[in-house]
Amino acid sequence: MANDKKVKDLMIPLEDYPHIPHWFTLRQAMAIIRKPPSSVKALRAPGMLVFDDKYQLMGILTIRDIITGLEPRVLQETNLIDPI
């Protein structure tokens, strides 16, 4: 039954989530995010986990973040984001 499902049944395990160190370049991040996922659940991952040198989670990097970093005008000119 749907009410019997637990969060752990739906979550993406950290080891399946795409992840990178904070010092990667945007080019390296794009190469990782374009790789096929290691599990079916990882297909749902909206981005990549970013870790520091001590493997502490710093944040999440999305494809949108990468595009904005590479060419900030792309998203603004196409009205995909609100101008700042």
Side-chain angles (χ1 to χ4, degrees):
M1 225 177 209
N3 292 339
D4 296 335
K5 284 193 176 192
K6 306 283 188 247
V7 171
K8 68 178 183 173
D9 298 327
L10 302 174
M11 71 176 196
I12 300 170
L14 281 179
E15 61 270 9
D16 290 349
Y17 217 98
H19 56 282
I20 58 172
H22 68 95
W23 46 265
F24 262 31
T25 64
L26 292 177
R27 181 182 295 267
Q28 290 170 306
M30 279 300 295
I32 297 296
I33 209 164
R34 293 178 63 202
K35 281 185 180 178
S38 59
S39 77
V40 174
K41 284 185 179 181
L43 286 171
R44 297 190 326 257
M48 291 181 280
L49 302 176
V50 180
F51 291 94
D52 67 12
D53 296 329
K54 295 180 181 178
Y55 214 66
Q56 298 292 312
L57 181 62
M58 294 178 68
I60 296 174
L61 181 71
T62 66
I63 292 175
R64 180 186 205 121
D65 297 329
I66 294 171
I67 292 170
T68 301
L70 291 172
E71 186 54 61
R73 294 174 296 164
V74 170
L75 295 177
Q76 290 173 348
E77 291 173 1
T78 58
N79 295 322
L80 294 175
I81 61 171
D82 296 326
I84 297 174

